[in-house]
Amino acid sequence: MKILITGAAGYKGTQLVDLMLASGHEVFALDDFRYNQKVLQNHFKNPKLHLRKADVCDLNSYEDWLKQCDALLPLACLTGAPVCEKNPELARAINHQSIVDSLKVLSKNQMVLFPMTNSGYGVGGEAYCDENSPLTPLSHYAKLKVETEQEVLARENSLSFRFATLFGASYRMRYDLLVNDFMWKAMDSGEIHLFEGHFRRNFLHVLDGARVYLHALNNWDQMRGQIFNVGLSSANMTKLDLCSEIQKVVPHLQITANESMKDPDKRDYVVSNQKIEMTGFSCEMTLPQGLAELKKLFILGRSKEDSNQ
Ligand SMILES: NC(=O)c1ccc[n+]([C@@H]2O[C@H](COP(=O)([O-])OP(=O)(O)OC[C@H]3O[C@@H](n4cnc5c(N)ncnc54)[C@H](O)[C@@H]3O)[C@@H](O)[C@H]2O)c1
């Protein structure tokens, strides 16, 4: 298949390129490389990789690719709440409008696999959020994702993944993600200052976040037209639980819980991943495996581009 991946030089995009090429697909990888990513070189010898530096807001720069691909994976994004709060109009142009415009170019037999976030569930209450739970997005980022998901699902041959917060090592790192951020702090300063440690979140290793696209392409007739939560069911946990897991890998870690301080990120929910599991998908990577991997990655250090703040 011909797979068009926008945001291909990102945290998840680079994993997807690996996986799709390893599965024999022809990959059309597009990114504007705004974080100066030095990635994907390991595939440059592969004739099945096509690479282009372009802005998804400039439809003319990749309309030819849109017309010929079998599947579009529109990952290009200002990813995360803080960067979208800082650049609200640009976020709308990239995260929403570019996708709406690209859908108009596609014919109905072309597939679209949309990366939504389960942060659309906002504050979920006691019950597990499933795909029918109401969406109460809290941030501009999550609101744009909800709007875009509606547009994507309005066309027949699409599906949406509502992803948990990703963690683990990738070619492009993001230390603004909760697990990666906490692990960095644990390793760097030996200390985590925890606010509202009872807030619950769901996590997923970045590799499994890529594997699920392949799973959907291989099971398209069964999965098309639907929404799937995608998270690691054993990693529905509070922030305090997460710190305890990190302490197993970084025993000298000091956790200072301060319940009087407020976290600007108000997300608090537990997520049911049963629907995707029922299709035969299961995660390969556990949280402890991801933490062990991040501990090794710490040796390489980090630069300011390894974050979307
Ligand atoms: N990481 C997560 O926890 C998570 C969870 C849910 C959903 N998602 C979604 O998955 C997708 C990828 O996330 P990620 O974590 O890899 O983020 P990322 O920021 O690492 O990747 C986004 C990529 O898009 C590129 N990009 C940004 N603006 C562009 C533009 N105008 N034109 C072309 N390229 C552009 C960036 O250079 C970057 O490589 C996003 O759509 C995100 O919303 C991620």
Side-chain angles (χ1 to χ4, degrees):
M1 266 188 230
K2 292 182 175 179
I3 316 283
L4 169 49
I5 304 173
T6 72
Y11 179 62
K12 181 162 67 184
T14 48
Q15 297 292 323
L16 259 171
V17 172
D18 257 15
L19 212 58
M20 292 296 165
L21 287 173
S23 306
H25 294 297
E26 191 171 350
V27 173
F28 294 75
L30 181 147
D31 204 291
D32 68 357
F33 294 85
R34 66 179 49 229
Y35 305 111
N36 300 313
Q37 300 100 306
K38 302 279 182 285
V39 293
L40 302 176
Q41 296 96 319
N42 49 328
H43 296 299
F44 283 2
K45 289 192 182 70
N46 189 335
K48 285 195 170 175
L49 173 71
H50 309 273
L51 185 63
R52 193 174 284 178
K53 182 174 180 175
D55 180 347
V56 281
C57 299
D58 176 11
L59 202 62
N60 290 330
S61 67
Y62 66 114
E63 199 172 352
D64 56 334
W65 279 9
L66 278 168
K67 285 184 173 153
Q68 63 174 298
C69 69
D70 298 301
L72 168 65
L73 282 48
L75 271 64
C77 189
L78 291 191
T79 316
V83 69
C84 290
E85 263 2 290
K86 270 187 216 158
N87 310 281
E89 281 163 29
L90 185 62
R92 172 163 288 282
I94 297 173
N95 300 11
H96 177 71
Q97 198 55 48
S98 77
I99 296 178
V100 172
D101 292 344
S102 64
L103 295 180
K104 293 178 191 148
V105 176
L106 300 178
S107 66
K108 69 174 195 293
N109 56 348
Q110 291 175 290
M111 298 173 266
V112 179
L113 292 80
F114 178 64
M116 165 72 170
T117 158
N118 72 15
S119 54
Y121 295 126
V123 181
E126 284 317 303
Y128 276 74
C129 296
D130 67 19
E131 291 79 358
N132 298 314
S133 299
L135 293 171
T136 53
L138 301 174
S139 62
H140 183 48
Y141 168 66
K143 285 174 190 162
L144 288 173
K145 281 283 174 186
V146 170
E147 267 183 63
T148 314
E149 182 187 61
Q150 285 164 356
E151 299 270 357
V152 170
L153 290 175
R155 78 183 282 284
E156 230 171 78
N157 213 18
S158 304
L159 66 68
S160 175
F161 294 126
R162 291 184 180 162
F163 283 108
T165 302
L166 300 178
F167 66 89
S170 188
Y171 302 100
R172 190 241 152 179
M173 268 315 285
R174 281 191 58 202
Y175 286 107
D176 52 316
L177 294 164
L178 191 66
V179 177
N180 298 352
D181 173 45
F182 275 14
M183 189 61 191
W184 179 270
K185 285 177 175 144
M187 294 292 295
D188 189 44
S189 67
E191 216 175 346
I192 295 175
H193 297 287
L194 190 60
F195 310 137
E196 295 180 301
H198 58 281
F199 279 0
R200 298 151 308 163
R201 296 276 291 277
N202 188 211
F203 304 109
L204 174 73
H205 193 278
V206 63
L207 181 60
D208 288 315
R211 284 180 56 246
V212 75
Y213 289 86
L214 203 55
H215 175 74
L217 291 175
N218 292 338
N219 296 278
W220 189 249
D221 288 342
Q222 179 197 351
M223 293 177 66
R224 58 192 281 182
Q226 300 184 59
I227 297 169
F228 297 92
N229 290 337
V230 189
L232 178 60
S233 293
S234 61
N236 262 309
M237 54 174 60
T238 66
K239 291 194 282 179
L240 187 58
D241 293 335
L242 170 62
C243 288
S244 305
E245 286 298 320
I246 292 177
Q247 217 161 24
K248 291 179 190 164
V249 189
V250 188
H252 64 276
L253 171 65
Q254 299 280 331
I255 303 161
T256 336
N258 187 339
E259 290 301 329
S260 63
M261 293 286 284
K262 298 293 169 211
D263 190 337
D265 185 346
K266 297 290 170 210
R267 282 178 286 165
D268 181 20
Y269 45 70
V270 276
V271 180
S272 165
N273 300 300
Q274 210 178 4
K275 185 175 174 189
I276 189 76
E277 289 162 3
M278 296 290 284
T279 68
F281 180 75
S282 57
C283 293
E284 278 182 356
M285 295 293 288
T286 63
L287 182 62
Q289 281 173 311
L291 296 178
E293 180 187 50
L294 288 167
K295 192 172 176 179
K296 290 175 196 157
L297 193 66
F298 180 79
I299 295 167
L300 304 186
R302 66 184 269 190
S303 59
K304 66 176 175 27
E305 286 91 3
D306 294 342
S307 162
N308 286 355
Q309 305 283 359

